[in-house]
Amino acid sequence: MDGKPPEFTLELSADRSNVKDVVKGIMHTVFFHRFFTPLTPATHDVLDTTLPYVSEDDIEELIETRATALVRSLDTASSNHTSPQYSAKSNGTSRGSLAIKFLEKKRRKGWFIAKADEETVWETWTIEVTLTSARSEPEAERNRRVMESSLQKAAMKVVTTVNEEKGHIPPITTNESNPFPYQIVVNPKT
């Protein structure tokens, strides 16, 4: 693979009461389409949208801990607008992100000895989250429509992207149950 690995950005808008479920739903959607091991199909409903769900303990636990960390960082940002790592707007919204990185293990070659494997990123999914708040019922209703729309658009972008962008996926060269390690990084640009 030449150059920088592809990075796909998904934008979500969510209120405090739904942000964790919305973020977890999109992370599960990405893993469902990029986790190359046999899966038992499962779904979860988030805001009246049915999304695929990966029922693997390791992935569920990682997604849960990273979504919780993102929510904490959003809460910190919304209560402390002076934090330089977030672009908090004056209307009480705050932003955060997380990156799902899929890695390929490559055997490093030495002259006479085998060196340790090195992991290189072959694809990154960045999820940009805007936390919204409402001061009135009409504003809350508008925020819910925006939240539902952003979730549906993000889910469709995942499906469209994984169906169109396949050429950069490295060959599977191992018999391990999961050929590609992964990481989830909260607020990767900070």
Side-chain angles (χ1 to χ4, degrees), residues 20-89:
K20 189 172 180 181
D21 289 336
V22 168
V23 168
K24 286 171 50 177
I26 285 300
M27 286 196 286
H28 273 285
T29 301
V30 170
F31 272 98
F32 183 82
H33 291 284
R34 286 299 196 227
F35 192 63
F36 294 102
T37 61
L39 293 171
T40 303
T43 60
H44 275 192
D45 289 339
V46 180
L47 298 174
D48 300 327
T49 300
T50 302
L51 299 172
Y53 186 82
V54 178
S55 55
E56 291 279 322
D57 291 342
D58 293 349
I59 291 176
E60 284 183 69
E61 186 178 320
L62 181 63
I63 286 175
E64 179 69 29
T65 58
R66 295 306 188 270
T68 300
L70 179 66
V71 169
R72 269 196 223 113
S73 75
L74 288 166
D75 285 346
T76 302
S78 64
S79 65
N80 176 14
H81 292 301
T82 59
S83 174
Q85 44 182 265
Y86 306 99
S87 57
K89 297 176 189 167

Side-chain angles (χ1 to χ4, degrees), residues 12-176:
L12 294 172
S13 180
D15 62 24
R16 176 64 183 87
S17 63
N18 291 292
V19 67
K20 189 172 180 181
D21 289 336
V22 168
V23 168
K24 286 171 50 177
I26 285 300
M27 286 196 286
H28 273 285
T29 301
V30 170
F31 272 98
F32 183 82
H33 291 284
R34 286 299 196 227
F35 192 63
F36 294 102
T37 61
L39 293 171
T40 303
T43 60
H44 275 192
D45 289 339
V46 180
L47 298 174
D48 300 327
T49 300
T50 302
L51 299 172
Y53 186 82
V54 178
S55 55
E56 291 279 322
D57 291 342
D58 293 349
I59 291 176
E60 284 183 69
E61 186 178 320
L62 181 63
I63 286 175
E64 179 69 29
T65 58
R66 295 306 188 270
T68 300
L70 179 66
V71 169
R72 269 196 223 113
S73 75
L74 288 166
D75 285 346
T76 302
S78 64
S79 65
N80 176 14
H81 292 301
T82 59
S83 174
Q85 44 182 265
Y86 306 99
S87 57
K89 297 176 189 167
S90 59
N91 66 356
T93 61
S94 58
R95 293 181 58 83
S97 65
L98 55 81
I100 303 172
K101 298 174 182 260
F102 292 98
L103 311 164
E104 173 186 20
K105 283 184 184 177
K106 290 184 178 177
R107 174 86 46 201
R108 289 183 14 200
K109 295 175 177 62
W111 277 82
F112 295 107
I113 55 172
K115 294 185 177 183
D117 288 348
E118 98 180 307
E119 292 181 345
T120 57
V121 176
W122 59 267
E123 182 176 87
T124 301
W125 290 84
T126 300
I127 302 171
E128 300 281 344
V129 182
T130 302
L131 187 64
T132 61
S133 59
R135 291 183 284 272
S136 66
E137 192 56 42
E139 204 174 309
E141 188 56 40
R142 185 192 63 79
N143 285 352
R144 180 162 179 94
R145 284 192 306 272
V146 169
M147 187 170 36
E148 290 172 349
S149 174
S150 76
L151 177 62
Q152 290 168 358
K153 283 179 188 169
M156 285 307 300
K157 184 173 180 178
V158 172
V159 171
T160 302
T161 301
V162 298
N163 285 326
E164 292 174 354
E165 303 285 339
K166 299 174 186 174
H168 65 281
I169 300 173
I172 296 174
T173 59
T174 179
N175 291 332
E176 292 177 32

